Amino acid sequence: EGLSVTGLNGANANKLLSSLPLFAGQTPLLSTCSFTSFNFNWDPNLTKGLRVLRLGGYFNGHAPTLSALLAILRECPGLEELSLRNLSEGEGDGHNGGSLNGSGQPVGNCVAQPATVRGCVGSGGSSASQSALAAEHSSMAGNKTIVLPRLTSLTLYYASPAHSLLPLLSLPSLTHLTLAFLQNVSSVLQCLYNQALTKLPLKTVRIESCIFNEITFVNLLKRLNG
């Protein structure tokens, strides 16, 4: 039911192990999974149906792409805890860090789109770049927001994919959130605000070593009755 794997030191050893199918992809009773610096080829069949997923210690070319993360999450509709720690952006994925403009407002604006993708599109770029980013998010999410109805705990700690991942998720049961070392999280807070317009039962929010627009943060707090 539980699995914890830490990658071996040395590129050759990690490459050898990652080329092998872990448990032949057959884990019908697996519910809790923790991987640290171990490349399991991001096979969604291996992590299918999880309640707890923790990934940590992936950098440069060894990090999962946003597409790989989304594929895994689609197969975990009953996920209750998700932790991403020390993850760089996987090769081939870009993200909008949600920087501030000259007036101190967040550049990234999350637009709620029922039955489609909630995308963070930078308002400071050209219309062509905005369209390209929106198309990228739409393609990655398969034109459908991923709903995790049971997810109560989310930790994003030095995880570069966070800015691209949050707009593509619906988290109606989220109660505990940690954001740490993510640079500017204004666009992330805006996405959470948009979800709070329907349902977002957050009880605890921890923000460490991040910057954000205070107005965006206060507006979110006003929506959090818990």
Side-chain angles (χ1 to χ4, degrees):
E1 294 182 0
L3 173 65
S4 179
V5 180
T6 300
L8 299 179
N9 293 328
N12 292 333
N14 196 36
K15 182 178 180 181
L16 175 62
L17 288 175
S18 66
S19 64
L20 300 176
L22 196 61
F23 303 121
Q26 302 299 317
T27 55
L29 299 179
L30 188 63
S31 61
T32 300
C33 190
S34 176
F35 285 109
T36 302
S37 303
F38 181 81
N39 182 359
F40 59 97
N41 292 325
W42 315 115
D43 181 5
N45 292 321
L46 180 65
T47 56
K48 187 175 183 179
L50 290 178
R51 292 190 297 104
V52 177
L53 175 61
R54 304 185 185 103
L55 299 176
Y58 294 97
F59 297 99
N60 302 325
H62 298 289
T65 64
L66 179 61
S67 300
L69 287 175
L70 292 173
I72 290 174
L73 293 178
R74 286 193 193 98
E75 298 299 324
C76 300
L79 198 65
E80 299 173 10
E81 177 187 340
L82 175 62
S83 176
L84 304 179
R85 300 176 66 93
N86 300 318
L87 265 71
S88 65
E89 199 86 33
E91 291 183 356
D93 285 344
H95 79 273
N96 174 29
S99 58
L100 300 179
N101 60 23
S103 61
Q105 297 297 324
V107 171
N109 294 313
C110 298
V111 181
Q113 300 176 354
T116 59
V117 174
R118 293 180 179 181
C120 285
V121 180
S123 59
S126 64
S127 58
S129 62
Q130 292 179 20
S131 299
L133 182 59
E136 177 186 13
H137 282 168
S138 177
S139 175
M140 288 180 176
N143 294 319
K144 184 177 181 181
T145 298
I146 298 177
V147 181
L148 300 175
R150 297 184 180 180
L151 191 77
T152 59
S153 177
L154 176 61
T155 298
L156 300 169
Y157 187 104
Y158 199 79
S160 297
H163 300 88
S164 299
L165 183 64
L166 257 294
L168 305 177
L169 302 179
S170 177
L171 311 171
S173 299
L174 186 65
T175 56
H176 304 287
L177 173 67
T178 296
L179 303 174
F181 298 95
L182 297 177
Q183 298 184 5
N184 193 335
V185 294
S186 298
S187 61
V188 172
L189 297 179
Q190 182 64 46
C191 290
L192 294 172
Y193 171 82
N194 287 342
Q195 293 203 33
L197 294 176
T198 52
K199 182 182 180 182
L200 187 64
L202 272 176
K203 295 182 179 180
T204 63
V205 180
R206 176 184 175 88
I207 302 178
E208 178 182 353
S209 297
C210 300
I211 62 174
F212 53 84
N213 178 268
E214 292 88 346
I215 295 177
T216 302
F217 180 60
V218 170
N219 286 338
L220 173 61
L221 289 181
K222 291 179 180 179
R223 302 294 309 183
L224 302 179
N225 295 329

